[in-house]
Amino acid sequence: MDEQTACAGQAPLIQDEPENDGVRNIIRRAYQCTELRISPVALLPNIKADVPAGSEAVGVPYSSSRLESLYVPNCVSLHSYMTAIRNPNSYLYTRLSDSPNSRGYMGSVCSAFVSWCFDLPCVYTTHQLGMLPFMQLCDRQGPDALFPGCMLLHTDDHVALVSAVWRDADGHVQQAEICEECHPHTKRRRFPPETLRANYLDKGYLIYRFLGAADVRYVPTPWSPLPGDDPIAPPYCAQLSPRRGDCANWRPGEPVEIDVLDDGGFTHARVLRGETCVCELPIPADRLLVFRQLEPGSYRVCLTDGTRQSACVFFCIVDTSVSVTDLGGGTAKLTFRSKNAVPLWYAWCHADGPHFRAVRRAYSLTPEQAAAGEVVTTFQPGSWLFKVEFRTPYGVFSSDLVPQTISG
């Protein structure tokens, strides 16, 4: 076991070992977010205080980017986000989220962060996390009951992950490391037991065990390398930068905007779908490439001078369709399809009020439901917004929100 001395003159503390490799992976996934280093090249909007260009921020910025589910890294990959950070014209700098509890165009919230750590199939909310069948309320509560990989949940407020625990020789917790998404960014902090009580346990937080922990996987990323990862430079195209970031999903009908950051002596831009050249055009004077009315599919763009070719950037235009039918009794039927994405999960979302557009209930689709393109779901009568989330080669894409009143 690892040992740590809390203060000079005190006996060394003994650190709890994670229960298995899956728990180690949960903690690594948390650290990918808490240790992410962001260097904005323009003023980066943030819910608490905007981050100036030329400074450095650590952690995924907080923002309930619920309109398009632009949660990092659950739906928007770290590669897409970090390549957008390098483009001063990207939507991270030029667009704001108008949803409650948000400001940044992309970001994360506490429940999205914990959903990421546990590699859960949906982006769940605090209201739902504790009632999931794979979450177990622990019999013991209190600081001594904490263990690496457990969840601290307040159903109506917040959720956090315990990533490390240190005990004295009698087994009493003297320190615990908490990872959580909060204003203004993901944080990783150590607390003594009295602070754990004051900040969490005496305020209604409960300790939960994730029953699927042993199966959690970890995939290293060069954008947020951790000790033991292979030191690989992040892949990056210096010439081109899509305004949603490289390898991002775009909505059908939305103009795809790509900045030429450095023409490198090239003269034209070439767009390919598979091995087919869709179009080739001269680099415009304002160095902004705009592609409209492209068919759904995966594309790549490079610069060329007729003989040489630059590195490529990639994007996907995602085709989706979702409709909702009221079946009465608090039951709805969702019908959905996509030409180039796989349906993953769906949600009932608030249609008004302080939680406007936020997920109230999220449900993963079974393979049979995904293949059939429909699901019958029961929750509560009322006015709701519905959405279906789809997986593409470049992350998770949210359908448009569909309003529907469900009768009792």
Side-chain angles (χ1 to χ4, degrees), residues 143-377:
D144 287 349
L146 296 173
F147 57 91
C150 71
M151 178 176 72
L152 278 169
L153 175 66
H154 189 305
T155 300
D156 297 322
D157 184 25
H158 184 59
V159 64
L161 179 81
V162 176
S163 49
V165 172
W166 292 268
R167 302 178 189 273
D168 61 23
D170 296 323
H172 298 301
V173 169
Q174 299 300 310
Q175 287 187 27
E177 182 180 79
I178 306 295
C179 294
E180 56 191 336
E181 184 71 45
C182 50
H183 297 181
H185 50 70
T186 331
K187 295 181 180 179
R188 173 185 177 186
R189 298 175 289 185
R190 293 182 183 180
F191 298 115
E194 57 269 21
T195 306
L196 292 166
R197 285 192 179 279
N199 289 1
Y200 301 96
L201 299 170
D202 289 346
K203 289 186 174 181
Y205 287 79
L206 296 173
I207 304 170
Y208 286 81
R209 176 185 295 275
F210 174 41
L211 299 179
D215 298 324
V216 173
R217 59 191 179 85
Y218 167 72
V219 179
T221 170
W223 294 106
S224 185
L226 302 180
D229 293 347
D230 291 335
I232 301 173
Y236 177 63
C237 177
Q239 283 77 38
L240 294 166
S241 184
R243 292 190 171 180
R244 283 185 179 269
D246 186 27
C247 298
N249 293 314
W250 293 72
R251 311 191 79 75
E254 178 185 20
V256 177
E257 299 182 309
I258 302 177
D259 289 289
V260 180
L261 301 181
D262 178 4
D263 64 28
F266 296 105
T267 58
H268 287 70
R270 180 180 294 162
V271 183
L272 298 102
R273 184 180 182 188
E275 298 305 316
T276 302
C277 180
V278 176
C279 66
E280 187 171 305
L281 68 159
I283 297 174
D286 63 1
R287 295 191 168 202
L288 175 61
L289 306 172
V290 182
F291 305 104
R292 292 181 171 87
Q293 304 304 320
L294 292 175
E295 292 294 322
S298 296
Y299 295 83
R300 69 185 192 273
V301 181
C302 65
L303 298 181
T304 181
D305 59 8
T307 55
R308 297 182 303 134
Q309 180 174 299
S310 74
C312 292
V313 291
F314 302 82
F315 64 90
C316 182
I317 296 177
V318 187
D319 167 78
T320 64
S321 174
V322 176
S323 61
V324 183
T325 304
D326 172 32
L327 299 182
T331 299
K333 178 181 178 181
L334 276 65
T335 304
F336 46 86
R337 66 164 183 81
S338 174
K339 295 178 181 177
N340 62 335
V342 178
L344 286 181
W345 57 278
Y346 65 95
W348 299 60
C349 305
H350 292 276
D352 51 32
H355 301 294
F356 179 50
R357 299 173 180 156
V359 170
R360 181 63 183 183
R361 287 290 184 272
Y363 302 97
S364 58
L365 291 162
T366 66
E368 294 75 20
Q369 291 166 342
E374 62 179 38
V375 61
V376 174
T377 173

Side-chain angles (χ1 to χ4, degrees), residues 52-92:
S55 64
E56 183 179 70
V58 181
V60 176
Y62 187 100
S63 187
S64 182
S65 49
R66 62 185 72 161
L67 175 60
E68 296 183 41
S69 296
L70 298 177
Y71 295 110
V72 181
N74 310 64
C75 303
V76 177
S77 71
L78 289 181
H79 177 76
S80 294
Y81 184 79
M82 294 298 283
T83 50
I85 282 286
R86 294 190 175 196
N87 179 2
N89 302 311
S90 81
Y91 296 160
L92 295 180

